[in-house]
Amino acid sequence: MEEAAGDEEWYTIALWGYFAMAAIMFVLVNFCLSAPYGRHVRRGWGFSVPVREGWIIMESPALFVMALVYHAGQFHLQHVPHVLLRMHQMHYFHRTLVFPFRMRADGKAMPAAVVASGFFFNVYNSYIQARWISHIGVYPSSWLTSPQFLLGVAIFLVGFLGNIWADNVLLNLRDHKEDRSYKIPRGFLYEFITCPNYFCEIIEWLGWAIATNSVAGFFFFLSTLANLGPRAKTHHEWYHKKFNDYPRNRKALIPFLY
Ligand SMILES: NC(=O)c1ccc[n+]([C@@H]2O[C@H](COP(=O)([O-])OP(=O)(O)OC[C@H]3O[C@@H](n4cnc5c(N)ncnc54)[C@H](OP(=O)(O)O)[C@@H]3O)[C@@H](O)[C@H]2O)c1
């Protein structure tokens, strides 16, 4: 995709900073530690905040920073940027304002450090994505009907719906509000992999990378992979330790492969 003149020098530095951050995150979560929330929460991470509020705070920049930076862009009234913004907001409206209310999270907490790092990531990522789609990337209206854009949108939607479905399966495993137990999820993609929710989220941002045809979108896809890949492996090992009857042929993240 073409680039418009403007603040691209600063943007390019920010973009490579974003790539470096994703690489550091990958090394940390793959070789040093698992992010201490959900089943991997543990002591020694300072003070904690309630899980539901933590998720809302952590994800909220993807709504408000994205909207602010987007509307400051020179192309914010154009069709393609507008459709891309709607796709992004659809995902983050659900993640910020629907998903946290569906979790069985009463009385559970997560470290404020996790919330702060998620918040920082979402501020940075929202700037990178919004600045590209509404100010630096140049998208003619014909991009809307191009095969690449349509393919990207289709992949994004499959990932979006698959992610919600997969999270729903997990959220429905607990019978009541006070239930804190973990069970073996079953059915469809769960017969092949441990983490269909992560797999579908990765598919979603692959669709975004294709639809935006941008380095920014590709780096978002990579950072999602770098974060959720190692976490899927950790979840997978955790299930094997916890359940003697955990299905042996299930992979962690990618059917038949990994
Ligand atoms: N883009 C990114 O980089 C990124 C990063 C993180 C998360 N996410 C997305 O955010 C969503 C949530 O992520 P997550 O890491 O919290 O996912 P997760 O570990 O799979 O947990 C999702 C929810 O289901 C519950 N749950 C999971 N496995 C269960 C089981 N076997 N039995 C009963 N309940 C179970 C969890 O409860 P507990 O909390 O009590 O474990 C949690 O409420 C996912 O859709 C993920 O793709 C995206």
Side-chain angles (χ1 to χ4, degrees), residues 48-61:
S48 294
V49 294
V51 164
R52 186 166 293 117
E53 287 76 357
W55 271 91
I56 294 170
I57 294 167
M58 176 166 84
E59 302 293 332
S60 60

Side-chain angles (χ1 to χ4, degrees), residues 37-39 55 95 99 103 108 163 167 170-171 173-174 181-183 197-198 201 224 227-228 231 235 239:
Y37 71 89
R39 77 198 66 189
W55 271 91
R95 177 67 67 240
F99 175 73
M103 300 171 96
K108 291 190 86 174
N163 175 258
D167 275 339
L170 298 177
L171 296 175
L173 288 173
R174 290 181 179 150
S181 67
Y182 289 94
K183 293 161 193 157
N197 52 347
Y198 294 171
E201 175 112 17
T224 307
N227 185 14
L228 296 182
R231 193 164 177 85
H235 271 20
Y239 274 110

Side-chain angles (χ1 to χ4, degrees), residues 103-135:
M103 300 171 96
R104 312 265 186 194
D106 292 358
K108 291 190 86 174
M110 69 202 290
V114 171
V115 177
S117 65
F119 185 90
F120 173 77
F121 172 82
N122 280 310
V123 169
Y124 200 163
N125 185 43
S126 300
Y127 167 77
I128 292 292
Q129 306 307 320
R131 199 65 181 159
W132 176 265
I133 63 171
S134 83
H135 191 75

Side-chain angles (χ1 to χ4, degrees), residues 206-238:
L206 173 66
W208 174 261
I210 294 170
T212 60
N213 195 30
S214 65
V215 177
F218 183 62
F219 282 0
F220 188 6
F221 161 67
L222 278 189
S223 76
T224 307
L225 191 60
N227 185 14
L228 296 182
R231 193 164 177 85
K233 194 171 121 211
T234 316
H235 271 20
H236 191 65
E237 289 164 358
W238 178 92

